[in-house]
Amino acid sequence: FNHCGIFRVEGGRPTVVEAIGDRVQQTPLPLFLARDTAAQLSVGRLEDAALATAGARAAVRYLGRPYDDAFLP
């Protein structure tokens, strides 16, 4: 894999929280999928719904934070 994101629904619309460009951002799902040129896509789902919800909520706290390809703070 070369990229991943965390799926969540915001305002009734499917979105993906992802680190892309220079910051963590929330991208509409159609745009996230259209940008991908990979021949294959994988989707994973946590069995524990409460844990999945908590993870998606935690991801939102990172929105707007700086990001770079070297994973440096």
Side-chain angles (χ1 to χ4, degrees):
F1 299 100
N2 65 1
H3 192 65
C4 67
I6 297 175
F7 175 84
R8 65 187 301 268
V9 177
E10 176 73 25
R13 296 183 176 192
T15 66
V16 178
V17 176
E18 61 176 331
I20 189 167
D22 63 351
R23 63 187 170 84
V24 177
Q25 54 191 304
Q26 190 163 270
T27 305
L29 181 61
L31 179 60
F32 178 83
L33 295 173
R35 189 179 339 107
D36 194 352
T37 58
Q40 191 172 1
L41 175 72
S42 295
V43 176
R45 177 179 283 194
L46 294 174
E47 291 181 11
D48 183 332
L51 185 59
T53 299
R57 284 186 181 143
V60 170
R61 293 195 309 253
Y62 290 88
L63 290 174
R65 279 200 189 176
Y67 168 83
D68 64 40
D69 290 335
F71 307 103
L72 297 173

